[in-house]
Amino acid sequence: MRGQWTYWTLLLLGTGLTNALSGGMLYPKETPTRELKELNGIWSFRADKSPQRDEGFQQQWYKRPLRESGPVLDMPVPASYNDITQDIGLREFIGWVWYEKEVWLPSRWVEDFATKRVVLRVGSAHYFSVVWVNGVQVTQHEGGHLPFEVNISSVLKGSMGAPCRITIAVNNTLTVNTLPPGTIQFMTDPTRYPKGYFVQDIQFDFFNYAGIHRPVLLYTTPSVYIDDITIITDISENTGLVNYEVSVVGSEYYSVTVTLHSQDGQEIATSLGAVGQLKVANPSLWWPYLMNENPGYLYSFEVKIKANTDGDILEDLYFLPVGIRKVHVSKQQFLINGKPFYFHGVNKHEDYDIRGKGLDWSMIVKDFNLLKWLGANSFRTSHYPYAEEIMDLCDKYGIVVIDECPGVGIKDPNFGNKSLQHHLVVMEELVRRDKNRPSVVMWSVANEPASELPEAGYYFKTVIAHTRQLDSTRPVTYVSNANFERDQGAPYVDVICVNSYFSWYHDAGHLEVIQLQLYNQFDNWYNKYEKPIIQSEYGADTIPGFHNDPPLMFTEEYQAMVLKHYHSVLDEKRKKCVIGELIWNFADFMTTQTVTRVVGNKKGIFTRQRQPKSSAFILRDRYWKLANSTGSSDSMWWNYASQDLYCIKRDQCIV
């Protein structure tokens, strides 16, 4: 490989150049002291199809408008580029692609850099990014699915009266040291492949969509600004505790005032100082969906700073949603606010027609409406962090989240020191981004790694310990499909998460073995580790409209029978050690082309277009009954009538 890839590819991809984290990553918001300019829309785009994928760097495309380098396309941002055009070569493209946009900045943004910062922020770009502003490199970032930003004020000096040209080069190549990992395989047989032909090999079952997937924006702050906020909540009898720490950058001389407001705007508590605690008498707690008549209650945490710089008084203001809740794990239970919580939810993907993994508000809102219709109270961000906009709605609606990093497909060559160090940085980025979210109740550091290998023990012991050091308030897990006796990382997790596909990948077509194998699975894991268990994946591929009786694989009847057998065992084991079940998958999704996948993975209970299969109604009936038996508060009554499910307060019951 080394002889066939250029300096830039070897230097940038998976070589440990990612710097240790510094500073916060607050979500950009407009406030009285901050302005925001979204850069979403049409960008100029060009894929570097040169044999070495290095023409853009060799010719320095970032030095001048991209259109001067050659033909460019219009490309929407945010979106994956793969399915936008009719070019199959671009759909499967591996290597550098270049994005560019010219924008005009308000004159007030560039008039006084002594008192103002201008920050460029990318919500996520897959996988490695290099960013230039007006031809000057300002930052680079390794890893998709997480945001990065840079202060570009110094580059903008003297640019008044001219547009700001932003260039982003993105490379989707995956190597043994990236997360997720992959390998590049060069095909050297000249009788079968053209010269220089290569393919990207991956160890995960979803399409490797690429491009700028989340919003790009510019925002301003004062030169002395609120850089980070950390919130840790607790409950003591009838008092909610909001412990906070505010980080301020730009001056050593400043004051901090924090105020907590209720949803109707009433001031609940206030305090002075960058570190402190607010006490809330009889708080409105953050409860999961279907566990309380008012789920997802959020207070507004207002931070205001004043600083004296060279005789000028600067102010900054930021508002953070805060949910007061407490999470605890015992040997057999998962507790939220002291009450047992049972995960009845889904696994998902950020995956949609045409836009791929690109953020799309219509699809996001549709998915949440389907989750609520389904009676799902939770999901896992399989197999990477989801957009902050999605996480905001989880906080708002009370949807509980197992927050997973992109650690999918970690196999034999991926447990080295470079991989480990990058994995630690990714967990730092993830915790930094989502640490204040009440919906996030557990971190997942990997999905289906080769955890039976001896080196996996030290690897996951290190990653899990590091994650606990970053955040001691949430349990940590990873999702296993290994043998329970040989799983090297299981001793270090707080909750056992197990994936199994009995009668599908094992004993295909034999529904009669599911219950025996599932009983043994739960007994074996619990007897060895005495930790609560989540059935983190189960399911079967189903082609919508395929029917057969007796049930055959790929029919809707077969998927229904798989669910029936799993649910029978889950109903018994949730009385003892099982604390949750997450179906695979919420919706059908795209995968790499193989002979085992017919235009993607079809294990969804909804189609990729979000239309229900028969299994969606089965799961809907089950989840609402589970909410009634395990999750609802005393003030709620869940009712079934004419196939419609609705809830009313007991004192408003209509007979």
Side-chain angles (χ1 to χ4, degrees):
M1 174 177 172
R2 183 171 294 272
Q4 301 196 48
W5 282 96
T6 64
Y7 167 81
W8 269 98
T9 304
L10 289 169
L11 175 65
L12 295 176
L13 293 177
T15 55
L17 287 182
T18 305
N19 295 325
L21 298 190
S22 61
M25 191 59 66
L26 295 175
Y27 188 74
K29 296 180 179 180
E30 288 187 312
T31 76
T33 62
R34 298 178 174 220
E35 295 183 90
L36 184 150
K37 183 180 180 66
E38 291 191 353
L39 306 184
N40 301 336
I42 300 299
W43 288 52
S44 296
F45 175 90
R46 185 179 181 190
D48 185 345
K49 297 184 178 181
S50 62
Q52 300 297 328
R53 302 294 196 261
D54 63 345
E55 183 177 308
F57 289 100
Q58 296 293 339
Q59 297 183 4
Q60 299 181 325
W61 288 355
Y62 51 86
K63 287 287 189 181
R64 60 193 188 279
L66 190 61
R67 61 184 177 274
E68 296 181 8
S69 70
V72 297
L73 302 175
D74 287 340
M75 187 61 64
V77 170
S80 302
Y81 61 74
N82 307 79
D83 292 338
I84 299 297
T85 76
Q86 303 307 109
D87 182 359
I88 188 65
L90 184 60
R91 186 183 190 276
E92 306 290 338
F93 184 78
I94 302 296
W96 291 103
V97 298
W98 293 71
Y99 290 82
E100 181 191 86
K101 193 174 186 69
E102 293 185 349
V103 298
W104 287 93
L105 303 184
S107 58
R108 62 185 178 278
W109 284 24
V110 294
E111 286 174 347
D112 186 7
F113 289 117
T115 60
K116 189 184 298 290
R117 300 164 66 240
V118 179
V119 180
L120 172 64
R121 190 180 201 267
V122 180
S124 79
H126 189 74
Y127 170 81
F128 193 97
S129 304
V130 185
V131 183
W132 297 262
V133 174
N134 295 335
V136 178
Q137 183 176 334
V138 292
T139 194
Q140 62 185 39
H141 182 260
E142 180 177 356
H145 315 295
L146 288 165
F148 58 96
E149 65 182 29
V150 59
N151 181 358
I152 63 171
S153 302
S154 61
V155 181
L156 297 178
K157 289 181 178 179
S159 62
M160 187 181 300
C164 173
R165 182 166 49 84
I166 298 169
T167 309
I168 304 177
V170 183
N171 194 320
N172 62 340
T173 306
L174 301 177
T175 74
V176 294
N177 297 318
T178 59
L179 205 66
T183 56
I184 294 294
Q185 182 179 2
F186 285 91
M187 305 301 191
T188 57
D189 184 346
T191 66
R192 300 179 63 189
Y193 305 101
K195 183 179 179 180
Y197 191 85
F198 64 90
V199 294
Q200 171 81 76
D201 290 332
I202 54 177
Q203 298 293 325
F204 51 85
D205 188 29
F206 54 92
F207 191 73
N208 187 33
Y209 278 114
I212 301 177
H213 286 153
R214 295 174 192 160
V216 181
L217 53 86
L218 295 165
Y219 72 93
T220 67
T221 74
S223 57
V224 181
Y225 61 98
I226 301 162
D227 179 63
D228 198 14
I229 303 170
T230 301
I231 300 290
I232 297 175
T233 65
D234 202 349
I235 303 168
S236 178
E237 297 181 345
N238 294 325
T239 301
L241 306 176
V242 180
N243 302 288
Y244 68 88
E245 181 175 355
V246 177
S247 172
V248 177
V249 172
S251 175
E252 297 180 358
Y253 307 101
Y254 57 85
S255 63
V256 178
T257 304
V258 302
T259 307
L260 194 70
H261 294 275
S262 64
Q263 286 188 349
D264 59 7
Q266 293 186 16
E267 182 178 307
I268 302 300
T270 188
S271 181
L272 300 176
V275 179
Q277 182 185 81
L278 300 179
K279 294 184 178 181
V280 182
N282 300 312
S284 296
L285 300 180
W286 188 94
W287 288 102
Y289 177 54
L290 302 182
M291 204 170 175
N292 186 271
E293 63 183 339
N294 189 16
Y297 189 92
L298 296 173
Y299 291 89
S300 178
F301 185 80
E302 174 189 310
V303 180
K304 184 176 183 179
I305 67 166
K306 289 186 177 182
N308 192 325
T309 59
D310 298 327
D312 293 325
I313 301 297
L314 295 181
E315 294 185 358
D316 193 18
L317 193 64
Y318 192 85
F319 301 91
L320 182 72
V322 169
I324 299 176
R325 64 104 179 94
K326 183 177 183 178
V327 172
H328 178 70
V329 177
S330 68
K331 283 187 177 182
Q332 294 180 313
Q333 290 182 315
F334 195 100
L335 303 173
I336 296 180
N337 302 335
K339 293 188 177 183
F341 176 76
Y342 188 80
F343 295 79
H344 47 88
V346 302
N347 296 275
K348 292 182 88 273
H349 268 299
E350 289 181 319
D351 176 276
Y352 318 105
D353 287 331
I354 301 176
R355 76 279 279 170
K357 291 192 181 303
L359 184 137
D360 185 295
W361 274 112
S362 298
M363 296 305 300
I364 290 172
V365 173
K366 177 65 174 179
D367 281 2
F368 274 99
N369 285 331
L370 288 174
L371 287 172
K372 290 190 285 186
W373 174 89
L374 193 65
N377 63 8
S378 53
F379 66 75
R380 174 170 62 121
T381 67
S382 46
H383 300 295
Y384 40 81
Y386 291 177
E388 291 159 284
E389 293 79 1
I390 293 175
M391 305 297 285
D392 284 344
L393 292 181
C394 290
D395 292 337
K396 178 180 180 180
Y397 297 146
I399 301 298
V400 169
V401 176
I402 300 173
D403 208 352
E404 189 162 273
C405 81
V408 56
I410 303 175
K411 305 299 181 183
D412 188 11
N414 310 128
F415 290 106
N417 286 335
K418 287 183 179 179
S419 297
L420 176 58
Q421 291 304 312
H422 179 52
H423 202 150
L424 298 180
V425 171
V426 169
M427 292 311 302
E428 291 176 15
E429 290 189 9
L430 177 57
V431 173
R432 177 180 66 174
R433 193 194 76 165
D434 290 345
K435 61 186 176 182
N436 296 323
R437 296 190 176 279
S439 61
V440 175
V441 301
M442 184 156 54
W443 306 110
S444 173
V445 301
N447 177 76
E448 295 186 354
S451 53
E452 297 182 15
L453 296 175
E455 54 267 37
Y458 172 78
Y459 187 97
F460 285 111
K461 179 181 179 180
T462 303
V463 174
I464 291 169
H466 185 66
T467 305
R468 285 202 186 100
Q469 185 179 28
L470 296 169
D471 176 18
S472 62
T473 70
R474 293 175 175 89
V476 184
T477 189
Y478 69 78
V479 178
S480 177
N481 64 348
N483 180 280
F484 76 99
E485 289 187 310
R486 298 192 295 273
D487 194 307
Q488 301 299 306
Y492 308 111
V493 302
D494 298 301
V495 174
I496 301 291
C497 290
V498 182
N499 293 349
S500 59
Y501 290 90
F502 302 130
S503 86
W504 194 258
Y505 296 124
H506 311 281
D507 301 297
H510 292 280
L511 294 164
E512 67 275 8
V513 306
I514 292 176
Q515 294 193 32
L516 173 64
Q517 294 180 3
L518 193 56
Y519 270 115
N520 287 331
Q521 169 194 282
F522 290 137
D523 289 343
N524 289 336
W525 281 96
Y526 188 74
N527 290 339
K528 183 171 179 62
Y529 298 105
E530 294 188 334
K531 297 176 181 180
I533 303 171
I534 295 176
Q535 182 69 47
S536 43
E537 289 184 26
Y538 70 104
D541 280 85
T542 303
I543 308 298
F546 274 31
H547 296 282
N548 203 86
D549 189 23
L552 297 180
M553 294 178 70
F554 293 97
T555 66
E556 296 196 42
E557 288 78 13
Y558 193 90
Q559 188 181 41
M561 289 303 297
V562 169
L563 267 59
K564 178 181 177 180
H565 284 295
Y566 266 84
H567 294 165
S568 177
V569 178
L570 288 164
D571 282 339
E572 179 65 28
K573 289 302 181 181
R574 67 185 174 88
K575 303 171 185 176
K576 301 174 183 178
C577 60
V578 173
I579 61 168
E581 56 193 73
L582 304 175
I583 189 72
W584 188 270
N585 192 282
F586 173 75
D588 296 344
F589 57 91
M590 189 54 63
T591 64
T592 300
Q593 297 184 76
T594 71
V595 295
T596 61
R597 294 284 179 249
V598 183
V599 195
N601 188 304
K602 295 295 192 290
K603 290 188 180 69
I605 60 171
F606 297 99
T607 67
R608 200 181 191 208
Q609 295 73 37
R610 276 41 181 185
Q611 297 304 309
K613 304 177 188 178
S614 300
S615 55
F617 296 94
I618 294 172
L619 213 60
R620 182 190 190 217
D621 182 69
R622 174 173 178 78
Y623 282 179
W624 282 88
K625 288 179 180 177
L626 283 172
N628 188 46
S629 63
T630 66
S632 62
S633 72
D634 291 338
S635 65
M636 303 297 288
W637 191 2
W638 305 104
N639 298 271
Y640 295 78
S642 303
Q643 301 299 314
D644 290 326
L645 303 168
Y646 59 95
C647 64
I648 57 176
K649 294 184 179 179
R650 288 188 186 276
D651 58 3
Q652 297 175 345
C653 181
I654 301 173
V655 180

